Amino acid sequence: PPRTRAMEFFEGKRVRELRGTYEDALEQTLTPQSLEEFSSALHGLDPEMHEPLFDLYCQLLSGISTFSLDEFESIVREEALVPRLNALDQACEARGIMELGERNGGGEAPLGRPP
């Protein structure tokens, strides 16, 4: 089927999985500790400094998250991942492969390259 610009911007299954996995990993990695956990690592430092340092720590994590998401989007665009992964979705669908290793109607599908 001919490619249209709409197909290039529609996010298919693989694009959604890639984006979701990346966002979940970022969230798990960049979730801040509690103030109590953070403060426990600062023995010897004036307790009045714990909260301002914690705020700075949270701002830093937020900045890293924003930068990482922006960088991910740049890579997705530069590498044309949306149309490439969408084409892979279509090739698998044409071969009756619904999920990795599964064929439409049951049975194992070969993990060869799409046509």
Side-chain angles (χ1 to χ4, degrees), residues 8-27:
E8 291 182 14
F9 296 104
F10 170 76
E11 293 192 356
K13 178 175 55 175
R14 283 173 173 73
V15 175
R16 289 191 308 271
E17 281 291 320
L18 176 64
R19 187 179 306 286
T21 299
Y22 184 76
E23 290 171 358
D24 290 347
L26 264 185
E27 184 179 332

Side-chain angles (χ1 to χ4, degrees), residues 56-69:
L56 182 62
Y57 162 70
C58 290
Q59 289 174 15
L60 179 65
L61 291 179
S62 177
I64 292 170
S65 177
T66 299
F67 174 79
S68 298
L69 288 168

Side-chain angles (χ1 to χ4, degrees), residues 70 72-82:
D70 289 347
F72 178 81
E73 291 305 323
S74 292
I75 292 168
V76 167
R77 277 191 309 277
E78 289 168 10
E79 299 297 326
L81 291 180
V82 172

Side-chain angles (χ1 to χ4, degrees), residues 80-91:
L81 291 180
V82 172
R84 291 169 66 191
L85 290 173
N86 285 347
L88 183 58
D89 283 343
Q90 290 174 344

